[in-house]
Amino acid sequence: MFSATRVVCVASVVAAAGSAGAQVWPQFEGAMKHVLITFDGTNVGVEIDHLVNPEPTPLPMVNYGDAHTSPADVLDGMYISSQYGFLADGFISLPQDSAIWVEMTSSTAGLEIYEGGMRMMRANHTYAPLFGTDGSDANWQWNGNMHHPWVAAPALGDYEASFTVYLGDAVTGAPLAGFGSDSVTLDWTAVPAPTSAAVLGLGGLVAARRRR
Ligand SMILES: [Cu+2]
């Protein structure tokens, strides 16, 4: 009788630990590819880094088949990437009551973008829709920190999105006269998930490490 109760207790503890540890956050791989933003007091500039990370674009998007923990479940069933990240290139000093805004001007049909942040902080991202996704505003206020948005596509193929980066009112986002803006196009290719052969190779690697 006692031992039977104990078995039930152990089983329920394991189940509770299992559900607590079952959080699934979107996977990311590939080195960060920064979209560098500058402001010289008059002109906003933006360009993709090819020096620190020479990886050619388009960047890959992969559907890992994960059922993500909410609110990241907006990415379920999608080919995703968080490699591109907005980053300040040097010190930026903004005029009072202004902010740097990023506005999507065009994109491939089906492309979705969600709020991210630093990639390692993925459990704390809001995954709120951005850049017109799900009826959100086309423009987004960049707070000056590194920000890797989650980009998602519904099917295999090529995707791109173009953005204008400009100085605008910190509240309304209205462009401020007398300051120059810049634009950039980011591109991706949604590719098949890693093959089972690659997964088997990884398993072999783990086995080899355990043997040491
Ligand atoms: Cu980064």
Side-chain angles (χ1 to χ4, degrees), residues 25 29 38 47 51 70 73 91 105 111 133 140 143 156 158 162 183 194-196:
W25 298 109
E29 54 188 4
T38 55
E47 67 175 338
L51 290 174
S70 177
D73 55 351
F91 184 74
T105 52
L111 192 74
T133 298
W140 169 77
N143 69 3
L156 294 172
D158 296 325
S162 295
S183 59
T195 64
S196 53

Side-chain angles (χ1 to χ4, degrees), residues 5-21:
T5 308
R6 267 188 208 150
V7 168
V8 169
C9 282
V10 168
S12 62
V13 166
V14 168
S19 62

Side-chain angles (χ1 to χ4, degrees), residues 154-176:
L156 294 172
D158 296 325
Y159 296 84
E160 65 174 34
S162 295
F163 301 88
T164 294
V165 184
Y166 67 92
L167 193 74
D169 183 282
V171 176
T172 68
L176 296 177

Side-chain angles (χ1 to χ4, degrees), residues 180-212:
S181 63
D182 200 0
S183 59
V184 67
T185 296
L186 309 184
D187 56 358
W188 304 263
T189 301
V191 299
T195 64
S196 53
V199 173
L200 285 175
L202 194 64
L205 188 66
V206 170
R209 278 191 185 151
R210 279 192 185 143
R211 260 182 245 125
R212 284 189 201 162

Side-chain angles (χ1 to χ4, degrees), residues 51-134:
L51 290 174
V52 175
N53 178 2
E55 179 178 353
T57 61
L59 299 177
M61 308 171 90
V62 175
N63 180 354
Y64 299 94
D66 293 332
H68 302 103
T69 300
S70 177
D73 55 351
V74 291
L75 301 175
D76 287 6
M78 306 288 281
Y79 295 79
I80 62 174
S81 173
S82 65
Q83 271 189 272
Y84 285 116
F86 297 106
L87 182 69
D89 187 14
F91 184 74
I92 291 179
S93 179
L94 296 174
Q96 194 168 6
D97 300 326
S98 73
I100 289 177
W101 292 78
V102 180
E103 179 167 10
M104 180 184 279
T105 52
S106 68
S107 67
T108 305
L111 192 74
E112 299 179 0
I113 305 184
Y114 296 91
E115 189 167 58
M118 293 184 68
R119 295 174 98 191
M120 295 302 292
M121 300 293 288
R122 60 190 173 158
N124 300 99
H125 296 172
T126 67
Y127 301 90
L130 300 180
F131 301 121
T133 298
D134 206 16

